[in-house]
Amino acid sequence: MPVYLDHNASTTVRPSVIALMSDVLAENGNPSSVHAHGQAARARVETARRQVGKALCARPEDVIFTGCGTEALNLAITSAITAGGVERLLVSSIEHEAVAETARASGLTVEEIPVDATGIVKLDLLAEALSRPGKVLAGLMLANNEIGTIQPVTEAGALVREAGGLFLVDAIQAAGKIPVDFAAIGADYMAISAHKFGGPQGVGALLAACNAPMSRHNHGGGQEMGRRAGTLNAAGIAGLGLALEEAVAELDSFAGLADWRDEMQAAIKKAAPNVQVLGEGAPCLPNTLALAVPGWRGETQVMALDLENISISAGSACSSGKAKASKMGTALDLPDDRSDGVVRISLGWSSNRADVDALITAWTEAYERASKSMKVSA
Ligand code: PLP
């Protein structure tokens, strides 16, 4: 049986979501049409909007559906610049490219706020950057996609507010995995993506607080109260709403994945004591295990496990395959041989005991074979 342990890239779509989406796809109607068919599609969308609001402690009217998480993040950054008068962008050194690259592409000055050795943003350096002149948009992820560290977004948000800036939280890896409270965090913007919590790929949402500056990102019809033009993906949105509702109802069992994560970690450390567990000692997502294996390249590990029918990843799905220095390795100040050997094993709601056993056996056997030809530093 193939074993899927790359749930942070995209997790299993929930069967109830597939059933709901196929019902919605079989129905006629554009949610913007006034006739009964259109209104039925609209009802599907508004149900999802309420589900998202309830799951994340936001008002349904704060929810803007988008074509993916990346689009939601782009919409927030563009809005903050064009409608919010932002002059400087602050992003942590471990933000996803959907934030980091969008910030760089904006043409504004982008300042990177470093993380400590465990992968947690340095709040003192954020405060220092905020003390310099120029209105700021600060972007910080709630949970990191590669190593799973949970960032102090509430504290960071308070600092940003105090400095009169705008605050964007990338909650794409956090929503449906740990409790997320948009109101308590006090962010101006927050992004989520359905395929990270059991919904379909290609649908996301931006939560924008009532006074958050918003601009038109794409032009066309007046959908989403003029904030995001384009016919709504009623089936995808319905799937997103149900998936998030179910994921949030199951947060306790998701938290239990930490037992399997710890078991894999212990078995790997026993077989390879020089392996570094990234994020160790920091608050982390319960499902994510990131390892730096000196002398064994991440891509080679992925291939070795793929031969055993087990899917893991070297870094994030978006950046793996690119021949460039690992951004995470640089951010965490890892020596080259560790930085090259980073892999991520991520569990999901559909993972089971057999997956964990298969990973432990395959990884430790492959390591033993590989270690015969490894140049290991320490
Ligand atoms: N932000 C984070 C933290 C992510 O993990 C991802 C996807 O991996 C994204 C943004 C992009 O989301 P999407 O794939 O929906 O565009």
Side-chain angles (χ1 to χ4, degrees):
M1 275 286 278
V3 172
Y4 185 69
L5 288 171
D6 196 14
H7 289 267
N8 283 6
S10 242
T11 196
T12 319
V13 182
R14 293 164 180 274
S16 55
V17 168
I18 296 175
L20 173 65
M21 285 181 66
S22 59
D23 284 352
V24 180
L25 284 170
E27 296 165 0
N28 282 324
N30 181 323
S32 298
S33 300
V34 290
H35 49 58
H37 286 93
Q39 290 315 295
R42 168 61 55 189
R44 299 289 198 180
V45 169
E46 295 314 318
T47 299
R49 206 184 300 281
R50 282 192 296 278
Q51 286 168 318
V52 173
K54 187 159 179 230
L56 303 178
C57 307
R59 302 174 320 148
E61 55 270 38
D62 296 340
V63 180
I64 305 162
F65 291 112
T66 59
C68 58
T70 299
E71 187 194 331
L73 292 162
N74 271 260
L75 178 55
I77 294 171
T78 312
S79 293
I81 296 170
T82 58
V86 157
E87 303 160 275
R88 297 165 57 215
L89 301 172
L90 306 182
V91 298
S92 88
S93 58
I94 57 168
E95 289 309 297
H96 189 276
E97 288 305 307
V99 167
E101 183 55 31
T102 310
R104 280 194 292 273
S106 72
L108 294 189
T109 310
V110 184
E111 291 153 74
E112 263 193 13
I113 310 299
V115 295
D116 66 16
T118 66
I120 296 292
V121 70
K122 293 184 173 175
L123 286 176
D124 53 336
L125 296 185
L126 173 65
E128 198 182 301
L130 286 166
S131 69
R132 293 193 281 273
K135 184 161 179 182
V136 154
L137 169 71
L140 182 61
M141 56 197 350
L142 181 35
N144 179 264
N145 47 309
E146 290 183 64
I147 63 172
T149 47
I150 297 171
Q151 303 296 323
V153 286
T154 309
E155 294 84 339
L159 292 173
V160 177
R161 262 195 313 284
E162 207 179 291
L166 295 171
F167 188 42
L168 163 63
V169 172
D170 175 351
I172 288 172
Q173 288 293 342
K177 293 181 178 161
I178 55 171
V180 176
D181 186 329
F182 180 62
I185 292 169
D188 297 282
Y189 310 99
M190 179 182 276
I192 61 166
S193 181
H195 70 117
K196 306 297 186 181
F197 47 74
Q201 295 171 343
V203 56
L206 179 68
L207 277 57
C210 59
N211 50 359
M214 289 301 304
S215 63
R216 281 173 179 260
H217 175 61
N218 45 341
H219 297 271
Q223 289 94 346
E224 297 299 81
M225 295 167 72
R227 297 173 296 184
R228 193 270 185 181
T231 298
L232 291 167
N233 169 5
I237 290 168
L240 179 152
L242 180 60
L244 187 59
E245 183 177 81
E246 287 190 4
V248 166
E250 292 167 13
L251 283 178
D252 285 349
S253 74
F254 198 87
L257 292 176
D259 292 343
W260 284 341
R261 190 259 327 265
D262 293 348
E263 210 178 303
M264 292 190 292
Q265 176 175 324
I268 287 172
K269 288 278 278 183
K270 189 163 172 232
N274 64 349
V275 162
Q276 181 178 346
V277 176
L278 303 179
E280 199 169 22
C284 266
L285 289 175
N287 71 318
T288 306
L289 176 59
L291 309 167
V293 189
W296 195 20
R297 291 186 66 83
E299 291 82 2
T300 316
Q301 295 181 57
V302 170
M303 282 188 280
L305 289 184
D306 194 36
L307 289 174
E308 305 296 325
N309 246 328
I310 299 178
S311 298
I312 63 166
S313 97
S316 73
C318 311
S319 62
S320 54
K322 287 187 194 166
K324 61 172 190 184
S326 151
K327 179 174 161 169
M328 186 56 71
T330 310
L332 298 180
D333 205 15
L334 297 179
D336 284 352
D337 65 339
R338 282 174 192 258
S339 185
D340 290 344
V342 171
V343 287
R344 174 186 73 191
I345 299 161
S346 49
L347 296 153
W349 69 269
S350 58
S351 297
N352 57 43
R353 169 84 256 157
D355 296 341
V356 175
D357 293 339
L359 182 281
I360 291 173
T361 306
W363 194 95
T364 51
E365 287 178 4
Y367 179 80
E368 201 181 315
R369 284 193 301 274
S371 57
K372 297 197 175 94
S373 58
M374 261 181 220
K375 283 187 262 137
V376 179
S377 58

